[in-house]
């Protein structure tokens, strides 16, 4: 199966503002134009503050004898990388990754709730930021959801509604990216038919059937959305070329991992490619496929859907 084609977001533009010079209040030199407000900086600072609280909680818990260090240390390492990526986009230098002192000693359950809440907070208002930052926040949110699940919190993460009102114009702008996502789901539905056929009749096959149904539902959701934009949904192909031969359960599991991992890339790109009102839909799809990829045994990554 050919991997789904990726849409690359490249938005290059130049905004010039003509501003009359006014006298500086001190009267010694003219005041320059007021720099435009950067919507990304407040969002980055909020995300960094939430991440620092998580780091503080991890650090406190890791000092307790008997703490499952093998479980917690990789999650903390991911969180450090989250912070580093968020800091990189700030206009000025920021302190090195550190932790904010946590006022009490959290339990594993409380840490799981913190990860869950952070997954939600990263998506609060992310419709107002630039597409690249929206992609990053959605990816980190998916990682936080994965952490919460690893710590025992299986509660579904709530994705906020889009901050901007959907209009026919924004719907039309979303069509190309949604068609790409639909094509990827067509391929996943086909692929899981192969996965299920090569698994024994046990819980694994049940998982494959459940996942197959989930991809059918996501495929149908994209089709319905495209139809509301009076766009003809791209039909499924008659067949898809598999990335490698599948002859038994091991290959079938490997194919499931391949399908979900490819979809994380598709949906991370979709967050950046669609207009702001549709970002929550893409972020939800990214989170769900991230959790499914890990369920099938994919290696954990701090930035699901963002290679490297």
């Amino acid at each position: 199966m050919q991997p789904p084609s990726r849409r690359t977001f490249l938005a290059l533009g130049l905004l010039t503002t003509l501003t009359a010079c006014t006298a500086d209040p001190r009267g010694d030199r003219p005041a320059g134009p007021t720099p435009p407000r950067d919507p990304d900086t407040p969002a980055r600072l909020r995300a960094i503050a939430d991440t620092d609280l998580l780091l503080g909680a991890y650090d406190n818990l890791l000092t307790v004898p008997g703490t499952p260090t093998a479980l917690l240390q990789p999650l903390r390492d991911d969180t450090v990388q989250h912070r580093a990526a968020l800091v990189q986009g700030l206009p000025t230098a920021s302190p090195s990754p550190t932790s904010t002192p946590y006022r009490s000693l959290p339990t594993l359950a409380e840490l799981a709730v913190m990860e869950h809440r952070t997954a939600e907070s990263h998506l609060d208002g992310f419709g107002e930021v630039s597409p690249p930052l929206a992609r990053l926040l959605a990816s980190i949110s998916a990682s936080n959801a994965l952490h919460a699940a690893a710590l025992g919190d299986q509660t579904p993460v709530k994705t906020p509604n889009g901050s901007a009102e959907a209009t026919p114009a924004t719907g039309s702008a979303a069509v190309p990216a949604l068609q790409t996502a639909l094509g990827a789901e067509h391929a996943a539905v086909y692929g899981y038919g192969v996965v299920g056929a090569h698994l024994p009749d046990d819980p694994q096959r049940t998982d494959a059937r459940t996942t197959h149904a989930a991809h059918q539902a996501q495929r149908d959701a994209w089709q319905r959305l495209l139809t509301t934009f009076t766009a003809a949904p791209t039909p499924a192909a008659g067949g898809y070329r598999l990335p490698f031969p599948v002859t038994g359960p091991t290959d079938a599991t490997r194919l499931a991992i391949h399908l979900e991992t490819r979809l994380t890339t598709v949906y991370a790109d979709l967050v950046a490619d669609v207009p702001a009102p549709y970002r929550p839909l893409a972020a939800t799809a990214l989170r769900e496929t991230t959790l499914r990829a890990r369920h099938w045994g994919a290696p954990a990554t701090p930035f699901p859907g963002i290679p490297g």
Side-chain angles (χ1 to χ4, degrees):
M1 179 183 69
Q2 296 289 348
S5 60
R6 295 185 53 197
R7 289 172 46 80
T8 304
F9 181 86
L10 295 173
L12 301 178
L14 178 65
L15 175 64
T16 57
T17 304
L18 299 178
T19 306
C21 291
T22 58
D24 185 271
R26 294 173 294 177
D28 55 356
R29 67 176 185 271
T34 301
R37 175 182 175 273
D38 178 12
D40 284 2
T41 296
R44 285 184 183 274
L45 292 175
R46 287 193 301 270
I48 290 169
D50 290 340
T51 302
D52 284 345
L53 285 175
L54 269 178
L55 285 172
Y58 275 108
D59 288 343
N60 279 8
L61 196 52
L62 282 166
T63 64
V64 178
T67 294
T69 305
L71 169 64
L72 296 183
Q73 191 60 55
L75 305 185
R76 185 194 185 279
D77 293 343
D78 284 352
T79 307
V80 170
Q81 293 192 59
H82 295 165
R83 190 186 195 279
L86 291 165
V87 167
Q88 282 183 356
L90 292 177
T92 56
S94 181
S96 299
T98 185
S99 61
T100 299
Y102 196 68
R103 289 179 293 181
S104 63
L105 186 63
T107 64
L108 283 176
E110 289 170 339
L111 185 58
V113 171
M114 289 183 66
E115 286 278 14
H116 183 278
R117 289 175 178 170
T118 304
E120 293 181 341
S121 67
H122 284 335
L123 301 182
D124 187 13
F126 88 135
E128 301 171 3
V129 302
S130 67
L133 180 56
R135 179 174 180 253
L136 177 63
L137 288 173
S139 176
I140 294 176
S141 174
S143 179
N144 291 134
L146 198 61
H147 291 180
L151 292 167
D153 188 337
Q154 303 293 334
T155 308
V157 173
K158 296 179 181 178
T159 305
N161 294 326
S163 58
E165 183 180 356
T167 65
T170 58
S172 297
V175 167
L178 290 175
Q179 294 282 27
T180 298
L182 174 58
E185 287 293 351
H186 282 317
V189 168
Y190 176 89
Y192 269 99
V194 177
V195 170
H198 288 84
L199 289 175
D201 193 8
D202 62 9
Q204 270 198 321
R205 178 174 288 185
T206 300
D207 285 349
R209 289 171 179 161
T210 300
T211 308
H212 183 260
H215 284 295
Q216 287 177 318
Q218 185 64 77
R219 174 203 62 192
D220 295 346
W222 294 141
Q223 288 175 329
R224 287 192 299 271
L225 186 57
L226 284 163
T227 300
T228 64
F229 304 146
T230 66
T234 301
Y240 294 86
R241 181 175 300 176
L242 299 178
F244 45 79
V246 178
T247 59
T250 300
D251 295 331
T253 300
R254 184 180 163 208
L255 178 58
I257 293 172
H258 173 86
L259 293 170
E260 299 295 350
T261 302
R262 289 293 187 182
L263 279 170
T264 62
T265 302
V266 170
Y267 285 131
D269 286 348
L270 186 65
V271 171
D273 288 346
V274 294
Y278 307 102
R279 287 177 182 171
L281 298 175
T284 298
L286 170 59
R287 180 176 63 250
E288 291 177 351
T289 196
T290 295
L291 292 169
R292 285 193 293 261
R294 186 59 177 160
H295 173 77
W296 285 108
T301 170
F303 302 103
I306 303 180

